[in-house]
Amino acid sequence: MADRYQEQLQKDALFLCSDQHVDTELLDKLVLQLNRIYPQILTDREAQKFRNLSVPAVTRLAELLSYLQEKGEEACHEFYRALHLHNEDLYLSLPTRVSRREAPELSGSNPKVFYRDRCVFNDRGPLFFLCCFSIALGLALIHYHKEGKIVTDSVFSCTVLELGQHAKHILLSYSKNGCKMD
């Protein structure tokens, strides 16, 4: 199961505070995001404290991170959202994000693969879909042709030509022989 946001922030705090990953401009954006969008997390007075330019950015960042950890799970989650919004590269390079991408989950599947598999309905591609659709359309045309509901034979012939070679022969033999497809 995934770490809680407070635990993640505790692990990522050292990375964020080291090597000037978060500059003054990004810190101001994060503080303003938390203050304007979520005033219950960061009030105006607290935001002014974390935006005080007389204090070095690293110190303000460390204080902000410890404040958010004390504030709770929702505050840490909103910090991650703001960081993702304002600096996606930094967000994706956080140690907890990198380890999550590289390490498979407990169930044995990688989150990237799971996401990709969830979005793909089959692995055969669009050509397979078009072939299946064409065959279904051809079978529907044969069915309606037998009932006298199709307008002309030219429509039927043109539709059959669009299908594959094997389907063409099968459909034409059904139409010539008058076989029922029940």
Side-chain angles (χ1 to χ4, degrees):
M1 185 170 169
D3 290 338
R4 295 179 17 205
Y5 288 106
Q6 283 178 299
E7 295 168 0
Q8 288 179 16
L9 191 57
Q10 187 175 11
K11 293 175 185 176
D12 291 333
L14 183 61
F15 174 79
L16 288 169
C17 293
S18 65
D19 297 330
Q20 299 296 327
H21 289 290
V22 179
D23 59 355
T24 304
E25 182 182 343
L26 178 58
L27 181 60
D28 284 344
K29 287 178 182 179
L30 295 173
V31 169
L32 287 174
Q33 171 88 17
L34 291 171
N35 175 244
R36 290 181 182 159
I37 306 298
Y38 306 103
Q40 69 275 16
I41 293 175
L42 200 61
T43 63
D44 289 336
R45 185 173 158 206
E46 294 162 337
Q48 287 177 347
K49 173 186 164 187
F50 294 121
R51 293 186 70 212
N52 184 1
L53 295 177
S54 63
V55 178
V58 176
T59 306
R60 290 185 288 144
L61 177 63
E63 290 175 359
L64 175 66
L65 296 178
S66 64
Y67 170 80
L68 292 173
Q69 287 176 5
E70 291 173 9
K71 197 77 169 165
E73 189 72 14
E74 183 183 354
C76 296
H77 179 68
E78 296 309 328
F79 171 79
Y80 278 114
R81 276 188 176 172
L83 183 62
H84 189 229
L85 178 69
H86 294 291
N87 193 334
E88 188 174 1
D89 293 335
L90 179 59
Y91 175 79
L92 294 175
S93 65
L94 291 172
T96 55
R97 300 291 170 216
V98 171
S99 65
R100 183 175 289 162
R101 280 193 312 267
E102 291 174 354
E105 289 188 16
L106 296 176
S107 65
S109 65
N110 193 341
K112 283 184 180 177
V113 174
F114 173 73
Y115 179 72
R116 189 192 71 209
D117 288 344
R118 192 178 74 198
C119 294
V120 176
F121 295 124
N122 66 33
D123 58 346
R124 295 187 177 112
L127 188 59
F128 178 76
F129 169 76
L130 289 174
C131 290
C132 290
F133 181 75
S134 298
I135 290 171
L137 180 64
L139 292 174
L141 286 172
I142 288 173
H143 177 72
Y144 285 113
H145 178 72
K146 293 297 178 188
E147 299 203 4
K149 294 183 180 178
I150 198 155
V151 178
T152 63
D153 286 336
S154 62
V155 173
F156 178 66
S157 301
C158 291
T159 304
V160 171
L161 290 176
E162 295 298 321
L163 299 176
Q165 200 66 354
H166 297 308
K168 176 183 171 185
H169 293 298
I170 292 170
L171 293 174
L172 285 176
S173 68
Y174 276 120
S175 66
K176 288 179 184 174
N177 296 335
C179 297
K180 290 235 179 227
M181 295 189 66
D182 292 333

